[in-house]
Amino acid sequence: GAGVSQSPSNKVTEKGKDVELRCDPISGHTALYWYRQRLGQGLEFLIYFQGNSAPDKSGLPSDRFSAERTGESVSTLTIQRTQQEDSAVYLCASSPGGWSDTQYFGPGTRLTVL
Amino acid sequence: AQTVTQSQPEMSVQEAETVTLSCTYDTSESDYYLFWYKQPPSRQMILVIRQEAYKQQNATENRFSVNFQKAAKSFSLKISDSQLGDAAMYFCAYGTNSGYALNFGKGTSLLVTP
């Protein structure tokens, strides 16, 4: 079946603008994760959605970052008033739902803030 | 703090040879899962292998195998009969039941030479 998809693949924006990044998880996966990968670094957890439960936002670096998910479907990560330090690859992953389930990743969105 | 250390920023191996990538981790949890992911230039994080911490037997997937030393908190990846397509960044990660997000190392860049 189809894997995790993300759009856009690349996004260039100017400092101070808002951006929206989209993630379509694997059908049937109840868990969805957002991670950030800065150049030369590992992945940093941002936010986690599980079904209709309240999301775990503990990894969001500032109140400029927010995310929504429609049921067990699409998720949108929004960054307001972008800063140059927000430049990174933003990766989305989904899993069937259990904590021990393997997470399957999308191809990511490369965000460049000028 | 929970951490993952990959002490080799870069590794090189000749085609058809064997290479081992190192990973150590630090968690106080007794129940956890370990993963190796591969990230080629396409940015797609691809699962290579996973290991359940409660299993003593080392996981294998075709040419990929791990050496899991629970007491030492070590989880190395061995790639046998290396192929040009194995060239990528390799990330070690673990997940626990105290938090659904995976904890990642900074990665090892593997170069495969003909």
Side-chain angles (χ1 to χ4, degrees):
Chain A
V4 178
S5 62
Q6 293 185 245
S7 62
S9 178
N10 294 282
K11 176 72 176 179
V12 180
T13 190
E14 293 180 346
K15 178 181 173 180
K17 301 280 190 181
D18 298 351
V19 295
E20 283 190 354
L21 312 180
R22 177 188 169 104
C23 172
D24 282 273
I26 293 172
S27 178
H29 280 191
T30 61
L32 187 147
Y33 308 78
W34 283 97
Y35 293 87
R36 178 172 69 179
Q37 185 179 26
R38 287 178 162 148
L39 186 64
Q41 302 295 313
L43 278 65
E44 305 171 72
F45 164 71
L46 295 177
I47 189 168
Y48 159 69
F49 295 91
Q50 169 65 320
N52 294 317
S53 301
D56 176 357
K57 304 179 182 180
S58 60
L60 294 178
S62 78
D63 58 8
R64 297 186 296 104
F65 288 72
S66 63
E68 293 183 347
R69 186 180 187 193
T70 307
E72 295 183 355
S73 183
V74 172
S75 176
T76 302
L77 176 68
T78 301
I79 308 173
Q80 295 179 310
R81 304 181 302 281
T82 52
Q83 304 294 312
Q84 287 185 331
E85 60 262 30
D86 299 334
S87 295
V89 174
Y90 290 83
L91 290 157
C92 174
S94 72
S95 75
W99 72 269
S100 62
D101 289 335
T102 295
Q103 295 180 25
Y104 296 91
F105 285 81
T109 294
R110 181 180 298 280
L111 175 66
T112 302
V113 182
L114 301 177
Chain B
Q2 303 186 108
T3 61
V4 180
T5 302
Q6 293 180 248
S7 59
Q8 306 150 317
E10 295 180 351
M11 291 285 284
S12 182
V13 64
Q14 280 195 315
E15 217 175 347
E17 297 297 309
T18 295
V19 65
T20 298
L21 309 184
S22 301
C23 173
T24 58
Y25 59 93
D26 186 16
T27 178
S28 57
E29 300 290 335
S30 59
D31 195 7
Y32 52 92
Y33 285 73
L34 296 152
F35 303 87
W36 279 97
Y37 281 90
K38 166 186 176 180
Q39 187 180 41
S42 67
R43 297 197 307 251
Q44 184 91 44
M45 294 282 283
I46 302 165
L47 178 69
V48 175
I49 200 165
R50 61 175 274 159
Q51 171 81 43
E52 290 82 354
Y54 64 84
K55 289 187 177 179
Q56 292 185 337
Q57 186 173 4
N58 289 322
T60 63
E61 285 289 343
N62 301 314
R63 298 182 294 107
F64 298 88
S65 62
V66 298
N67 183 4
F68 174 46
Q69 301 290 327
K70 190 171 184 178
K73 295 184 179 177
S74 171
F75 183 60
S76 61
L77 175 69
K78 185 171 82 171
I79 306 174
S80 304
D81 186 25
S82 297
Q83 300 175 0
L84 294 176
D86 294 335
M89 285 290 290
Y90 285 81
F91 291 93
C92 175
Y94 75 87
T96 76
N97 62 358
S98 67
Y100 286 71
L102 294 178
N103 297 279
F104 283 85
K106 292 187 177 181
T108 295
S109 178
L110 179 64
L111 175 67
V112 182
T113 57

